[in-house]
Amino acid sequence: MTALSLKHLDISYGETQITHGISLDIAEGESFALVGESGSGKSTVLKAVAGLAPQWTGSITVFGQPRSHGIDQHFARHCQMVFQDPYGSLHPRKTIDAILSEPLAIHGIGNQNSRVEDMLVAVGLDRKFRFRYPHQLSGGQRQRVAIARALMLEPKLLLLDEPTSALDVSVQAEILNLLKRLRRQQNLTFLMVTHNLPVVSFLCDRLAVMRHGRIVEIADVADLKRGALQEPYSRELMDISVAHAG
Amino acid sequence: MSAPLLEIENLRVSFPTQKGIIDVVRGVSFTLGRERLGIVGESGSGKSMTGRAILKLIRAPGTIRADTFRFDGIDLLKQTEKAMRRIRGARISMVMQDPKFSLNPVMTVGEQIAEALQTHQRLSRRETQKRVLTMLEAVRIDDPERVAGLYPHEISGGMGQRVMIAMMLIPEPDLLIADEPTSALDVSVQAQVLDIIDEQVRRKGMGLIFISHDLNLVSSYCDRILVMNTGEIVEECQAGELRNAVHPYTRGLIAAIPRLDETRDELPVLDRSAWVAK
Ligand SMILES: Nc1ncnc2c1ncn2[C@@H]1O[C@H](COP(=O)(O)OP(=O)(O)OP(=O)(O)O)[C@@H](O)[C@H]1O
Ligand SMILES: Nc1ncnc2c1ncn2[C@@H]1O[C@H](COP(=O)(O)OP(=O)(O)OP(=O)(O)O)[C@@H](O)[C@H]1O
Ligand SMILES: [Mg+2]
Ligand SMILES: [Mg+2]
């Protein structure tokens, strides 16, 4: 089954058109990466799917259901997003405990206490953080809370916007292992934005490269690993990544 | 090397918690010349707190203590808040880890960069505007006129980082503390933005503290590296030597980096018992 299908998606903010004809299909259980130039519209694509960028034409289909242009409570149960900036997305005056319990309360799910506890363990956060506020955590600790919150409802499709770019490599490794395990156990589907190509190699099956609001190339991760991307811009990104790793 | 720009001995940053006072920075000492110093280490190891302490931006009830804490001969601990405000921005500036949170939400990014420039130089409106656009272009913003007129919530994550870098470089500080300044940038734009920072290091002798999770980046870009773990410096090395680091903690970090030709099904995670026992 197709988990997410985008067809000729043009997304705008006011007068400015940001994306041009984005089309892609992601199978259920697949892990798909969106990489490319800063400002090219990667977050905007995720926001449109999540209902946060309502001004678009074309089509968005999630598990066979066409998506409406706004927020959709039923949809939220199956599709969750982890935002790029971990400060902005956590309520400053709620404790971590409240932030994680809230989605359960909204959707009438019981057993809140143990679910919150288990999730903190799953994302590698010590229990001492449970009753702290976001500003009392480091950047990486906050990002783990954001990931934990998205996972609370056990969604089937997870939209991840740079989920590990605020994390050090050791926590990144823990989160990547966790995402990989969850995907295997729960047949999760990922659409993940990242600029880190090695992360794509580790976690994803396919990738799309974006520039100036368009997809310039869609490739298998095997091609990335072999250094066989085709488009000049994709090759530029790949070459710098290789040089960088020394 | 000339007299150090920054001398820090036995820096401690502490917070009261329900379980008593905890030190999140525990006796950090280093000196910095007109060079590029990288700080790496796990999440929560005290990197940002070390950076913020230098600007005395630790929020109450947090406290800062040190045996020596001097910037360009000035004893920072003795400076009043008013004196610190004159130092911040003009002489020491900091690119915060979460730029979109640190930018003023009700001012356009162009206005904010202009304001940063005005603390440094008196210029006509037209000249200011020109300098702002040039700076945005320098950090690889393709359409500076449009972007200058946007509010922080209207720009992408990587654009936010570049705006913040533009704002912090435009007053030409003596010391730049950059906390994960390029983590949201694609590698191509990242390389160009680092070149601009580098240019100020070489041309104006600016000192740089570069806090990053990206070990490869730090080892290719900086001169020297400090590795932090639970509030302490556990290893110091020349940047090019990071690969030969000996501390098990540093080695653990290096092993956790995924590779472009990755074949491992699972990444190794830190075995904290390996060095904590020491
Ligand atoms: N609310 C908004 N109003 C107007 N323009 C916006 C808004 N949000 C984003 N944009 C514009 O849309 C473009 C694409 O932004 P987007 O955040 O999707 O980029 P991105 O590919 O995620 O970049 P990055 O890698 O830097 O996060 C940018 O030019 C940005 O200025
Ligand atoms: N207000 C506070 N009260 C108590 N502890 C705090 C407070 N603010 C921060 N801390 C703790 O201080 C420690 C160091 O935080 P710091 O932000 O310096 O980490 P970091 O090394 O920058 O991590 P990251 O890479 O995740 O950004 C963390 O464990 C954090 O939880
Ligand atoms: Mg983005
Ligand atoms: Mg930090």
Side-chain angles (χ1 to χ4, degrees):
Chain A
M1 182 171 197
T2 308
L4 176 66
S5 172
L6 308 180
K7 295 233 175 338
H8 310 295
L9 194 59
D10 292 349
I11 312 164
S12 303
Y13 291 112
E15 301 284 277
T16 320
Q17 183 174 343
I18 305 296
T19 69
H20 304 268
I22 302 291
S23 295
L24 51 87
D25 283 296
I26 303 174
E28 183 167 13
E30 190 177 24
S31 171
F32 192 97
L34 211 50
V35 307
E37 192 163 44
S38 172
S40 63
K42 305 180 299 294
S43 298
T44 300
V45 170
L46 262 54
K47 284 183 191 157
V49 176
L52 301 170
Q55 214 185 318
W56 49 263
T57 62
S59 74
I60 302 177
T61 312
V62 182
F63 294 106
Q65 300 284 324
R67 203 207 184 300
S68 68
H69 284 247
I71 304 271
D72 178 339
Q73 222 21 281
H74 170 75
F75 181 83
R77 187 76 205 259
H78 301 295
C79 175
Q80 284 283 314
M81 176 157 173
V82 176
F83 292 89
Q84 186 167 7
D85 80 86
Y87 276 87
S89 67
L90 298 179
H91 195 293
R93 275 183 291 278
K94 288 188 177 155
T95 63
I96 306 313
D97 181 67
I99 288 169
L100 297 184
S101 311
E102 195 173 65
L104 298 175
I106 290 174
H107 291 272
I109 299 168
N111 229 345
Q112 291 181 12
N113 189 40
S114 67
R115 278 173 193 266
V116 169
E117 212 154 82
D118 292 348
M119 189 55 73
L120 286 173
V121 173
V123 297
L125 278 177
D126 194 281
R127 50 158 28 101
K128 75 180 176 205
F129 294 115
R130 183 164 174 184
F131 294 100
R132 285 203 195 171
Y133 292 90
H135 75 268
Q136 296 171 314
L137 304 184
S138 79
Q141 289 159 350
R142 251 189 305 260
Q143 183 65 327
R144 278 182 274 177
V145 173
I147 292 171
R149 181 182 54 185
L151 291 171
M152 288 311 291
L153 291 175
E154 302 179 359
K156 295 199 295 188
L157 172 62
L158 207 51
L159 308 170
L160 300 154
D161 198 350
E162 304 272 14
T164 61
S165 68
L167 303 176
D168 74 276
V169 289
S170 71
V171 180
Q172 169 173 278
E174 285 168 25
I175 296 287
L176 292 177
N177 289 338
L178 168 74
L179 289 172
K180 207 171 203 178
R181 193 171 68 238
L182 285 169
R183 179 180 159 214
R184 203 159 41 215
Q185 288 167 353
Q186 304 178 12
N187 200 29
L188 283 180
T189 308
F190 297 148
L191 172 55
M192 178 170 81
V193 172
T194 177
H195 57 86
N196 187 323
L197 295 180
V199 166
V200 175
S201 288
F202 178 75
L203 192 67
C204 300
D205 308 309
R206 284 193 301 150
L207 72 156
V209 182
M210 281 185 72
R211 189 175 209 193
H212 302 323
R214 295 172 201 276
I215 291 179
V216 298
E217 179 169 5
I218 294 183
D220 278 336
V221 161
D223 292 332
L224 173 69
K225 290 185 183 179
R226 285 190 296 124
L229 298 184
Q230 298 298 321
E231 287 297 314
Y233 178 64
S234 321
R235 298 193 62 88
E236 180 188 333
L237 295 181
M238 201 170 57
D239 293 344
I240 300 173
S241 293
V242 171
H244 194 128
Chain B
M1 204 169 67
S2 52
L5 195 56
L6 193 66
E7 294 164 84
I8 297 180
E9 222 165 292
N10 202 17
L11 172 67
R12 285 180 182 274
V13 178
S14 319
F15 285 96
T17 69
Q18 279 136 340
K19 297 200 186 77
I21 293 185
I22 52 162
D23 290 353
V24 298
V25 176
R26 303 186 296 158
V28 160
S29 306
F30 64 92
T31 59
L32 177 82
R34 307 222 170 237
E35 60 178 326
R36 300 166 299 184
L37 176 73
I39 302 184
V40 300
E42 236 177 313
S43 184
S45 59
K47 305 181 298 295
S48 298
M49 287 298 159
T50 301
R52 297 180 71 100
I54 295 167
L55 283 167
K56 296 220 286 184
L57 283 177
I58 302 291
R59 266 186 279 183
T63 59
I64 306 171
R65 279 171 300 155
D67 294 344
T68 309
F69 204 45
R70 257 198 304 270
F71 162 71
D72 199 19
I74 305 167
D75 184 348
L76 290 173
L77 290 179
K78 291 218 178 83
Q79 303 307 303
T80 59
E81 177 54 28
K82 195 168 157 219
M84 280 313 294
R85 254 181 270 142
R86 277 198 301 270
I87 292 176
R88 285 183 207 131
R91 301 213 57 199
I92 310 178
S93 66
M94 179 161 176
V95 175
M96 298 287 175
Q97 188 166 7
D98 206 313
K100 286 174 79 172
F101 182 76
S102 318
L103 292 170
N104 184 341
V106 297
M107 259 169 102
T108 66
V109 304
E111 287 164 359
Q112 294 185 58
I113 300 173
E115 197 178 77
L117 176 60
Q118 278 149 12
T119 63
H120 171 67
Q121 241 180 339
R122 287 204 173 280
L123 293 170
S124 71
R125 272 183 75 124
R126 267 197 46 215
E127 187 61 22
T128 303
Q129 187 62 7
K130 215 174 97 198
R131 287 277 300 277
V132 168
L133 295 180
T134 312
M135 196 67 212
L136 281 172
E137 230 161 38
V139 293
R140 271 284 302 274
I141 300 280
D142 290 338
D143 40 359
E145 271 105 8
R146 178 181 74 91
V147 173
L150 296 177
Y151 289 90
H153 74 274
E154 298 175 324
I155 59 180
S156 80
M159 287 158 79
Q161 288 193 329
R162 286 177 281 163
V163 165
M164 190 84 186
I165 291 169
M167 243 171 93
M168 293 304 139
L169 286 180
I170 212 167
E172 305 189 348
D174 297 290
L175 169 62
L176 176 68
I177 302 167
D179 193 355
E180 300 285 356
T182 62
S183 62
L185 299 181
D186 65 84
V187 288
S188 165
V189 170
Q190 176 179 66
Q192 294 181 20
V193 168
L194 291 178
D195 280 347
I196 299 162
I197 297 180
D198 214 32
E199 213 238 342
Q200 292 212 1
V201 174
R202 276 180 292 115
R203 195 163 51 87
K204 309 205 187 83
M206 181 178 77
L208 174 69
I209 296 179
F210 191 94
I211 299 171
S212 174
H213 290 135
D214 190 334
L215 278 75
N216 288 325
L217 181 68
V218 165
S219 75
S220 61
Y221 183 69
C222 293
D223 303 307
R224 202 155 55 94
I225 296 179
L226 304 178
V227 183
M228 285 188 73
N229 175 221
T230 56
E232 295 175 316
I233 295 174
V234 296
E235 184 156 13
E236 178 181 345
C237 65
Q238 292 303 308
E241 296 296 309
L242 186 62
R243 237 159 287 249
N244 308 323
V246 290
H247 197 282
Y249 174 68
T250 316
R251 300 229 49 88
L253 291 180
I254 293 170
I257 304 173
R259 302 166 47 97
L260 196 59
D261 55 356
E262 191 57 68
T263 52
R264 292 174 290 187
D265 188 45
E266 198 168 306
L267 295 168
V269 296
L270 283 175
D271 173 12
R272 289 174 176 77
S273 61
W275 63 87
V276 167
K278 280 203 313 174

